[in-house]
Amino acid sequence: MAQSWWTYALTEFERHLRAQNRRPLTIHGYIRDMEQLRAWMLGQHRGDEVPGTADLRHWLAELQEAGATGATLARKRSAAQQFFDFVAMLRVVPRAPTEGLELPSHEYVLPKTLSRQQVAALLAATAGNPRDHALFQVLLGCALRVSEVCALARTQIDAPNRLLYVAGRVVPIPPETMAALDAWLARHDGLIVFPIKQRMVRVLCEKYRLIAGIPEPVTPSLLRHTSAVWQLVDGADPETLKIQLGHDRDDVMLHYIDRARQLGENELRVWQQESLF
């Protein structure tokens, strides 16, 4: 098979992903991963061959030995799976070599996400305490890290424009979050908005989880994941959200996008079922 099959296959795969309305970040990540696999095959002096299952195992094993995380390995395997399934369907390759490929030993698990109902219950549970209500509104509305919330100063809040300036990035403040912040700051005159330790935020997460009747553990990280995923479900641009979150890893955003797609499809399915009655 001519070496040019890679160029044709990658071009058609990118068109396929775009036709599926996949997010730009997803498309970029998958194409980049397959270009890396192509470069690896060239490095093996076998650039004109179709990788076999053993080749993919070797490629992933080398990445793992080089320090690739479980999330990175899982994403690259997923990219290879979708790429080779597609090119096998086009008969560019005789069969997908990923059919017999085992999962990476540390397969990345999509971040858990609170449901919209659980988010509402959690915020309702904090409603009697202005500080805690504002704190949870910021965690869920702005997707800040717990360290950033505990260090947040009044000078970082641009109330007229509903913006936060955190660690060199600009984060929009939803209207309901701004209202909760205003209510708290009207009572609190300190420079630090939430003068509590990170450990206490985790304690509060457990306290209000129990009040809200949420069975799973709730942590500041879970609230950040939840905020990011539901913003994507509601139409946030992944590239913009990545900057707002301060993420420097594409693989994490790709998993957020996958999780958001799942939740969006579930919501649509429920809406369609309810509309029948």
Side-chain angles (χ1 to χ4, degrees):
M1 182 177 290
Q3 187 173 354
S4 61
W5 79 269
W6 274 105
T7 302
Y8 171 75
L10 286 169
T11 299
E12 292 303 310
F13 183 52
E14 183 171 359
R15 287 178 181 167
H16 169 67
L17 293 174
R18 292 187 187 282
Q20 288 187 318
N21 292 320
R22 303 298 288 270
R23 302 283 190 177
L25 191 64
T26 304
I27 296 172
H28 172 74
Y30 282 177
I31 296 299
R32 185 181 63 180
D33 286 340
M34 291 303 93
E35 287 175 342
Q36 289 175 351
L37 174 60
R38 181 185 187 181
W40 183 85
M41 288 293 290
L42 286 168
Q44 305 296 308
H45 305 291
R46 297 174 52 226
D48 59 343
E49 297 180 30
V50 177
T53 304
D55 294 316
L56 294 177
R57 290 192 186 114
H58 189 186
W59 175 56
L60 292 171
E62 285 193 5
L63 289 170
Q64 188 171 31
E65 290 173 2
T69 65
T72 297
L73 295 174
R75 191 199 68 225
K76 291 182 185 297
R77 182 192 180 282
S78 176
Q81 179 79 59
Q82 296 196 45
F83 173 71
F84 284 108
D85 282 350
F86 174 71
V87 295
M89 181 184 68
L90 292 183
R91 301 187 184 279
V92 176
V93 300
R95 60 180 290 274
T98 49
E99 291 178 3
L101 189 64
E102 302 84 0
L103 293 175
S105 57
H106 298 291
E107 181 76 21
Y108 187 84
V109 178
L110 287 174
K112 294 181 179 179
T113 309
L114 295 179
S115 68
R116 292 193 195 269
Q117 294 77 11
Q118 289 174 323
V119 169
L122 196 61
L123 291 174
T126 65
N129 186 306
R131 183 202 68 181
D132 295 352
H133 188 61
L135 172 67
F136 278 74
Q137 282 280 5
V138 171
L139 288 167
L140 285 163
C142 303
L144 298 190
R145 299 177 177 90
V146 64
S147 59
E148 294 168 343
V149 172
C150 290
L152 187 66
R154 283 176 176 267
T155 52
Q156 295 173 258
I157 303 173
D158 179 357
N161 295 306
R162 289 196 288 106
L163 298 172
L164 290 178
Y165 300 96
V166 181
R169 62 189 199 275
V170 181
V171 181
I173 307 174
E176 59 273 20
T177 301
M178 193 69 247
L181 269 173
D182 284 339
W184 165 237
L185 292 175
R187 295 167 172 252
H188 171 67
D189 58 4
L191 174 63
I192 300 301
V193 178
F194 303 110
I196 57 176
K197 303 289 187 182
Q198 295 181 36
R199 180 179 59 82
M200 181 53 65
V201 177
R202 296 184 178 90
V203 170
L204 291 174
C205 284
E206 178 65 11
K207 171 186 174 180
Y208 289 113
R209 171 189 79 82
L210 294 172
I211 296 173
I214 299 172
E216 301 85 5
V218 172
T219 65
S221 293
L222 173 62
L223 301 185
R224 178 171 159 86
H225 293 328
T226 295
S227 177
V229 169
W230 282 115
Q231 286 186 61
L232 289 169
V233 173
D234 291 337
D237 175 66
E239 298 287 352
T240 302
L241 184 61
K242 179 184 176 185
I243 295 171
Q244 293 173 4
L245 292 171
H247 268 315
D248 57 2
R249 286 177 50 184
D250 287 346
D251 57 334
V252 175
M253 286 303 301
L254 285 169
H255 286 293
Y256 280 162
I257 290 168
D258 286 342
R259 180 62 172 158
R261 182 177 296 110
Q262 288 181 2
L263 292 175
E265 290 172 352
N266 290 342
E267 284 200 328
L268 177 60
R269 191 177 304 111
V270 170
W271 178 83
Q272 289 173 333
Q273 291 173 346
E274 290 177 346
S275 66
L276 295 175
F277 299 97

